[in-house]
Amino acid sequence: MPYGTFSPRGRIPTCAVAGLLTIAILGCGLTGKQKLALTAFSRSTVTLGEATSTEMKAFRTDGLEANAQVLLLKGETDTPGLPRLTSLDRGYELARVQPVIRAGEALAAYGKTLAALTSSTQADTLKRASTDFLQSLGQLSDTQAPGLAQLDAFGTAVQDISGWWIEPRRRQALVLLVDRFGPAMDKLCDRLAQDFAAGPTRAKGWVYLQLQLAVERLEAAAFDHFSASTTYPARKEALDAYRLAGVLRDHRDEACARISTAATALKKAHSKLAGSLRDGELSLQDLQELAERTSDLKSAMDILLHH
Amino acid sequence: MLGDQLSAALAHLTQLITRTTDPEARAALLRQHERLAGALQVLIDRMVDPALPEYAAATKALKTANQLAEAAKVDLGKLAATLESMSKAISKVMALAAAVGLV
């Protein structure tokens, strides 16, 4: 029946049926397929979040080391904006790297909360995971963080998970978590995908460019120093710096590309997961698609973690 | 995109520095390398509106300079033309930075 001819009287039973269906769906526990999908997804989310925070801290260390080596080889620069003795952390200031580290921590906490809500039978574990997640959201900058009302609603839902009624409440809390915080997590994924982008299919992000700047300066300075060196210690100093530039370049290329790709894959898998939780069941095709996404993510993360 | 052109230009200059044996040419390349790095840092620090005419002019000039640099890596005889083109491109980037109050 076209919407234009839909009678108001017919809406009441339809709404009631829809409401009952929603209650029926949310009133049940998770299906086996949903648990499988949630477990795989939450693991990938934790891995990406933790890898992002770890790599961002490592990039800061890499950047500072490269800046220090350039200063040793060339002395102070007179080019405005470039690192000096008093600003060795140029480009990696805490105010710049901290939001990225916290975004990674929030994603990891989100994954841990999903995992706890999916499988934990211990109320304490659930509450700890949700408390950590809410705290990590509180650390985000204003533009990234969800509102206070959303935090309160989720905190209350998790507090209610206990006793024999645990399975339906577990599912309700999961739906609430994904509905209320999913969009914020998707935004974090977008941000990471953009910040770490290494080209060529996407414009290079600031993390990649900042590292490139440090590494290119180090490589150029080391080469020039080596060419002008006449003694073994001077050549060794230049050669060590040149090698360091190569190591930092490899680290940058591997880690940036993988984090960016994984963040994009995570967001796609997330939308599939959110839909399946609301609709009540995952089709075989949904599961396959989700498995592909999480598999992309897992292979990227395995390489990152063994770097 | 300007960021990608700047990134490519910096990488080209590094490669030319490691290929040239002429000390004077290397010194000139090193000076440009440092200026370009400074320009890139300024543009990493803050987002710049891609709709600005200076943005398009800087991107175009860098693209031309990058094409010459690519050729110079194979034929170092094209180094002088590359240096001249890169110098113009860096000036355009700095003009953009000035237009948005970054320098």
Side-chain angles (χ1 to χ4, degrees), chain A residues 6-120:
Chain A
F6 199 90
S7 76
R9 192 179 279 186
R11 279 181 195 154
I12 297 166
T14 309
C15 290
V17 170
L20 283 172
L21 270 174
T22 305
I23 290 167
I25 288 167
L26 294 182
C28 303
L30 294 166
T31 64
K33 281 180 185 173
Q34 283 174 326
K35 280 191 177 178
L36 271 177
L38 276 160
T39 303
F41 179 82
S42 58
R43 273 190 200 143
S44 298
T45 309
V46 173
T47 309
L48 174 63
E50 289 180 347
T52 300
S53 300
T54 305
E55 291 299 333
M56 193 66 240
K57 288 172 195 166
F59 284 156
R60 179 176 147 82
T61 307
D62 288 354
L64 262 70
E65 179 61 23
N67 291 346
Q69 287 293 325
V70 170
L71 270 176
L72 278 172
L73 294 168
K74 291 179 62 163
E76 284 276 28
T77 179
D78 55 3
T79 306
L82 292 178
R84 302 178 69 86
L85 189 60
T86 50
S87 58
L88 272 181
D89 66 344
R90 182 72 175 97
Y92 305 92
E93 298 86 352
L94 280 180
R96 191 176 297 207
V97 300
Q98 220 161 33
V100 180
I101 293 169
R102 284 176 172 164
E105 288 169 351
L107 265 183
Y110 180 67
K112 285 174 187 169
T113 309
L114 278 173
L117 285 171
T118 304
S119 57
S120 177

Side-chain angles (χ1 to χ4, degrees), chain A residues 74 77 79-82 90-91 96 202-204 206 208-210 212-213 216-217 219-221 223-224 227 242, chain B residues 1 3-4 6-8 10-11 14 17-20 26 30 33-35 37-38 40-42 44-45 47:
Chain A
K74 291 179 62 163
T77 179
T79 306
L82 292 178
R90 182 72 175 97
R96 191 176 297 207
R202 187 173 194 148
K204 289 169 183 163
W206 80 263
Y208 182 93
L209 289 173
Q210 192 65 62
Q212 186 194 356
L213 200 158
E216 301 283 356
R217 286 188 77 227
E219 189 175 336
F223 191 89
D224 186 49
S227 302
Y242 194 76
Chain B
M1 294 292 284
D4 287 335
L6 274 168
S7 162
L10 199 62
T14 308
I17 287 165
T18 60
R19 285 177 197 202
T20 183
R26 185 181 305 138
L30 281 162
H33 194 268
E34 202 70 344
R35 283 183 68 205
L40 179 57
Q41 183 62 67
V42 165
I44 293 172
D45 287 344
M47 290 282 287

Side-chain angles (χ1 to χ4, degrees), chain A residues 148-200:
Chain A
L148 270 179
Q150 290 172 324
L151 302 182
D152 285 346
F154 178 64
T156 306
V158 173
Q159 295 297 321
D160 285 345
I161 298 176
S162 59
W164 64 275
W165 189 230
I166 189 167
E167 288 302 323
R169 281 182 176 163
R170 181 199 294 283
R171 181 169 173 168
Q172 285 170 355
L174 269 166
V175 170
L176 191 64
L177 175 70
V178 173
D179 274 354
R180 297 284 172 96
F181 302 108
M185 296 301 111
D186 285 346
K187 277 186 194 166
L188 292 184
C189 286
D190 283 341
R191 179 182 177 151
L192 296 182
Q194 186 184 326
D195 287 352
F196 286 83

